[in-house]
Coordinates of all heavy atoms in Angstrom, one line a residue:
Q12 N 198.6 106.5 104.7 CA 200.0 106.4 104.7 C 200.6 107.5 105.6 O 201.5 107.3 106.4 CB 200.6 106.5 103.3 CG 202.2 106.3 103.3 CD 202.7 106.3 101.9 OE1 201.9 106.4 100.9 NE2 204.0 106.2 101.8
E13 N 200.0 108.7 105.5 CA 200.4 109.9 106.3 C 200.2 109.6 107.8 O 201.0 109.9 108.7 CB 199.7 111.1 105.9 CG 200.1 112.4 106.6 CD 199.4 113.6 106.1 OE1 198.6 113.5 105.1 OE2 199.6 114.7 106.7
H14 N 199.0 109.0 108.1 CA 198.6 108.7 109.5 C 199.6 107.7 110.1 O 200.1 107.8 111.2 CB 197.2 108.1 109.5 CG 196.8 107.7 110.9 ND1 196.6 108.6 111.9 CD2 196.5 106.5 111.4 CE1 196.2 108.0 113.0 NE2 196.1 106.7 112.7
N15 N 200.0 106.6 109.3 CA 200.9 105.6 109.8 C 202.3 106.2 110.0 O 203.0 105.9 110.9 CB 201.1 104.5 108.8 CG 199.8 103.6 108.7 OD1 199.0 103.6 109.7 ND2 199.6 102.9 107.6
T16 N 202.7 107.2 109.1 CA 204.0 107.8 109.2 C 204.0 108.7 110.5 O 205.0 108.7 111.2 CB 204.3 108.7 108.0 OG1 204.2 108.0 106.9 CG2 205.6 109.4 108.2
T17 N 202.9 109.4 110.8 CA 202.8 110.2 112.0 C 203.0 109.3 113.3 O 203.7 109.6 114.2 CB 201.5 110.9 112.1 OG1 201.4 111.7 110.9 CG2 201.4 111.8 113.3
L18 N 202.3 108.2 113.3 CA 202.3 107.2 114.4 C 203.8 106.7 114.6 O 204.3 106.5 115.7 CB 201.4 106.1 114.2 CG 199.9 106.4 114.4 CD1 199.0 105.2 114.1 CD2 199.6 106.9 115.8
Q19 N 204.4 106.4 113.4 CA 205.8 105.9 113.5 C 206.7 106.9 114.1 O 207.5 106.6 114.9 CB 206.2 105.6 112.0 CG 207.4 104.6 112.0 CD 207.6 104.1 110.5 OE1 207.2 104.8 109.6 NE2 208.2 103.0 110.4
H20 N 206.6 108.2 113.7 CA 207.4 109.2 114.3 C 207.1 109.4 115.8 O 208.1 109.6 116.5 CB 207.2 110.6 113.5 CG 207.8 110.6 112.2 ND1 209.2 110.4 112.1 CD2 207.4 110.9 111.0 CE1 209.5 110.6 110.8 NE2 208.4 110.8 110.1
A21 N 205.9 109.3 116.1 CA 205.5 109.4 117.6 C 206.1 108.3 118.4 O 206.6 108.5 119.5 CB 204.0 109.4 117.7
G22 N 206.1 107.1 117.8 CA 206.7 105.9 118.4 C 208.2 106.1 118.6 O 208.7 105.8 119.7
V23 N 208.9 106.6 117.6 CA 210.3 106.9 117.7 C 210.6 107.9 118.8 O 211.5 107.8 119.6 CB 210.9 107.3 116.4 CG1 212.3 107.8 116.5 CG2 210.8 106.2 115.4
S24 N 209.8 109.0 118.8 CA 210.0 110.0 119.8 C 209.8 109.5 121.2 O 210.6 109.8 122.1 CB 209.0 111.2 119.5 OG 209.1 112.2 120.5
E25 N 208.8 108.7 121.4 CA 208.5 108.1 122.7 C 209.6 107.2 123.2 O 210.0 107.2 124.3 CB 207.2 107.3 122.7 CG 206.7 106.8 124.1 CD 206.3 108.0 125.0 OE1 205.9 109.0 124.5 OE2 206.4 107.8 126.2
A26 N 210.2 106.4 122.2 CA 211.3 105.5 122.5 C 212.5 106.3 122.9 O 213.3 105.9 123.8 CB 211.6 104.7 121.3
E27 N 212.8 107.5 122.2 CA 213.9 108.3 122.5 C 213.8 108.9 123.9 O 214.8 109.0 124.7 CB 214.1 109.4 121.5 CG 214.5 108.9 120.1 CD 214.6 110.0 119.1 OE1 214.1 111.1 119.4 OE2 215.1 109.7 118.0
V28 N 212.6 109.3 124.3 CA 212.3 109.9 125.6 C 212.6 108.9 126.7 O 213.2 109.1 127.7 CB 210.9 110.5 125.7 CG1 210.6 110.8 127.1 CG2 210.7 111.7 124.8
S29 N 212.1 107.6 126.4 CA 212.2 106.6 127.4 C 213.7 106.2 127.6 O 214.2 106.0 128.7 CB 211.5 105.3 126.9 OG 210.1 105.5 126.9
K30 N 214.5 106.2 126.5 CA 215.9 105.9 126.6 C 216.6 107.0 127.3 O 217.5 106.8 128.2 CB 216.5 105.8 125.2 CG 218.0 105.5 125.1 CD 218.5 105.4 123.7 CE 220.0 105.1 123.7 NZ 220.5 105.0 122.3
L31 N 216.2 108.3 127.1 CA 216.9 109.4 127.8 C 216.6 109.4 129.3 O 217.5 109.6 130.1 CB 216.3 110.7 127.2 CG 216.9 112.0 127.8 CD1 218.4 112.1 127.6 CD2 216.3 113.3 127.1
F32 N 215.3 109.0 129.6 CA 215.0 108.8 131.0 C 215.8 107.7 131.7 O 216.4 107.9 132.8 CB 213.5 108.5 131.2 CG 212.7 109.7 131.6 CD1 211.7 110.2 130.7 CD2 212.8 110.2 132.8 CE1 211.0 111.3 131.0 CE2 212.0 111.3 133.2 CZ 211.1 111.8 132.3
R33 N 215.9 106.6 131.0 CA 216.7 105.5 131.6 C 218.2 105.9 131.8 O 218.8 105.6 132.9 CB 216.6 104.3 130.7 CG 215.3 103.6 130.7 CD 215.4 102.2 130.1 NE 216.0 102.2 128.8 CZ 215.2 102.3 127.7 NH1 213.9 102.5 127.7 NH2 215.8 102.4 126.5
N34 N 218.8 106.5 130.8 CA 220.2 106.9 130.9 C 220.4 107.9 131.9 O 221.4 107.9 132.7 CB 220.7 107.4 129.5 CG 220.8 106.3 128.5 OD1 220.8 105.1 128.8 ND2 220.8 106.7 127.2
T35 N 219.5 108.9 132.0 CA 219.6 110.0 133.0 C 219.5 109.5 134.4 O 220.4 109.8 135.2 CB 218.6 111.1 132.7 OG1 218.7 111.7 131.4 CG2 218.7 112.2 133.7
Y36 N 218.5 108.8 134.7 CA 218.3 108.4 136.1 C 219.2 107.2 136.5 O 219.6 107.1 137.7 CB 216.8 108.0 136.3 CG 215.9 109.2 136.4 CD1 215.3 109.8 135.3 CD2 215.7 109.8 137.6 CE1 214.6 110.9 135.4 CE2 215.0 110.9 137.7 CZ 214.4 111.5 136.6 OH 213.6 112.6 136.7
S37 N 219.7 106.5 135.5 CA 220.7 105.5 135.9 C 222.0 106.2 136.2 O 222.7 105.8 137.2 CB 221.0 104.5 134.7 OG 219.8 103.7 134.4
L38 N 222.4 107.1 135.4 CA 223.7 107.9 135.7 C 223.5 108.7 136.9 O 224.5 108.8 137.7 CB 224.0 108.8 134.5 CG 225.3 109.6 134.6 CD1 226.5 108.6 134.8 CD2 225.5 110.4 133.3
L39 N 222.3 109.3 137.2 CA 222.1 110.1 138.4 C 222.3 109.2 139.6 O 222.9 109.6 140.6 CB 220.7 110.7 138.3 CG 220.3 111.5 139.5 CD1 221.2 112.7 139.6 CD2 218.9 112.0 139.4
A40 N 221.7 108.0 139.6 CA 221.8 107.1 140.7 C 223.3 106.7 141.0 O 223.8 106.7 142.1 CB 221.0 105.8 140.5
L41 N 224.1 106.5 139.9 CA 225.5 106.1 140.0 C 226.3 107.3 140.6 O 227.2 107.1 141.5 CB 226.0 105.7 138.7 CG 225.5 104.3 138.1 CD1 226.1 104.1 136.7 CD2 226.0 103.2 139.1
T42 N 226.0 108.5 140.1 CA 226.8 109.6 140.6 C 226.4 110.0 142.0 O 227.3 110.4 142.8 CB 226.5 110.8 139.7 OG1 225.1 111.1 139.5 CG2 227.1 110.6 138.3
L43 N 225.2 109.8 142.4 CA 224.8 110.1 143.8 C 225.5 109.1 144.7 O 226.0 109.4 145.8 CB 223.3 110.0 143.9 CG 222.5 111.1 143.4 CD1 221.0 110.8 143.4 CD2 222.7 112.4 144.2
A44 N 225.5 107.8 144.3 CA 226.2 106.8 145.1 C 227.7 107.1 145.2 O 228.3 107.0 146.3 CB 226.0 105.4 144.5
F45 N 228.3 107.4 144.0 CA 229.8 107.7 144.0 C 230.1 109.0 144.9 O 231.1 109.0 145.7 CB 230.2 108.0 142.6 CG 231.7 108.4 142.4 CD1 232.7 107.4 142.7 CD2 232.0 109.6 142.0 CE1 234.0 107.8 142.6 CE2 233.4 110.0 141.9 CZ 234.4 109.0 142.2
S46 N 229.3 110.0 144.8 CA 229.5 111.2 145.6 C 229.3 110.9 147.1 O 230.1 111.4 147.9 CB 228.5 112.3 145.2 OG 228.7 113.5 145.9
A47 N 228.4 110.0 147.4 CA 228.2 109.7 148.8 C 229.4 108.9 149.4 O 229.8 109.1 150.5 CB 226.9 108.8 149.0
I48 N 230.0 108.0 148.5 CA 231.2 107.3 148.9 C 232.3 108.2 149.2 O 233.1 108.1 150.2 CB 231.5 106.2 147.9 CG1 230.4 105.1 147.9 CG2 232.9 105.6 148.2 CD1 230.6 104.1 146.7
V49 N 232.5 109.2 148.2 CA 233.6 110.2 148.4 C 233.4 111.0 149.6 O 234.3 111.3 150.3 CB 233.7 111.0 147.1 CG1 234.7 112.1 147.3 CG2 234.1 110.2 145.9

């Protein structure tokens, strides 16, 4: 049960990192495009 819990936490952490990457680089692309237009 402890092993499964550890894997579950690792999965959540990996999912959060992936979400943070997507949000960061999506916003970065948008801001770079907006700044270039300005």
Side-chain angles (χ1 to χ4, degrees):
Q12 184 177 0
E13 182 179 353
H14 178 66
N15 290 337
T16 303
T17 302
L18 288 178
Q19 200 171 23
H20 282 305
V23 171
S24 178
E25 188 67 27
E27 290 176 349
V28 170
S29 298
K30 181 181 178 181
L31 181 59
F32 258 112
R33 288 195 305 270
N34 290 340
T35 298
Y36 283 90
S37 295
L38 183 58
L39 180 62
L41 290 173
T42 52
L43 285 171
F45 178 69
S46 182
I48 292 172
V49 174

